[in-house]
């Protein structure tokens, strides 16, 4: 039963009782970690949606190359571009 979960270190269990104990002891930390990860991903999705909407409103279209860049960006990059997009005169100015 040696499966790997990202960011989770499991001890080797010998019996079903040990598995039950391990799951009971780790349920809250795992759940909390997954909730935090989901929340961060949701925040990034919201920033991306806002950025793309603003870029479309200001510059009429968003090329696929820009969408790829946006979808691969860090949260901090996304926030910076969102701020720049309010005052940029061209799409290129947003990403300088």
């Amino acid at each position: 039963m040696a499966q790997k979960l990202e960011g989770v270190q499991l001890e080797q269990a010998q019996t079903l009782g040990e598995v039950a104990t391990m799951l009971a002891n780790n349920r809250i930390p795992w759940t909390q970690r997954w909730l935090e990860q989901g929340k961060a991903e949701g925040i990034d999705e919201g920033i991306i949606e806002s950025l793309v909407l603003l870029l479309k409103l200001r510059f009429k279209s968003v090329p696929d190359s820009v969408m790829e860049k946006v979808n691969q960006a860090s949260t901090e990059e996304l926030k910076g571009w969102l701020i720049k997009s309010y005052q940029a005169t061209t799409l290129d100015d947003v990403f300088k």
Side-chain angles (χ1 to χ4, degrees):
M1 181 154 82
Q3 290 187 349
K4 293 187 177 185
L5 301 173
E6 187 176 327
V8 175
Q9 189 71 19
L10 298 176
E11 297 175 20
Q12 187 66 31
Q14 300 298 320
T15 67
L16 288 177
E18 289 175 353
V19 170
T21 300
M22 178 185 59
L23 291 173
N25 291 339
N26 290 297
R27 180 183 57 83
I28 292 174
W30 291 344
T31 302
Q32 186 64 32
R33 189 174 321 150
W34 293 330
L35 286 172
E36 289 170 3
Q37 182 180 4
K39 183 178 176 182
E41 290 172 4
I43 289 170
D44 284 352
E45 289 173 10
I47 296 170
I48 289 170
E49 189 174 323
S50 297
L51 175 60
V52 171
L53 178 62
L54 184 56
L55 292 175
K56 286 180 179 178
L57 288 170
R58 301 253 1 254
F59 306 111
K60 306 300 180 220
S61 68
V62 179
D64 289 342
S65 60
V66 170
M67 288 302 300
E68 286 179 34
K69 187 173 192 167
V70 166
N71 286 319
Q72 295 175 3
S74 69
T75 302
E76 293 309 310
E77 287 174 312
L78 292 169
K79 288 178 181 179
W81 295 335
L82 186 59
I83 292 166
K84 284 183 175 182
S85 66
Y86 281 100
Q87 295 180 335
T89 56
T90 69
L91 188 58
D92 289 337
D93 289 343
V94 174
F95 299 98
K96 285 184 181 175

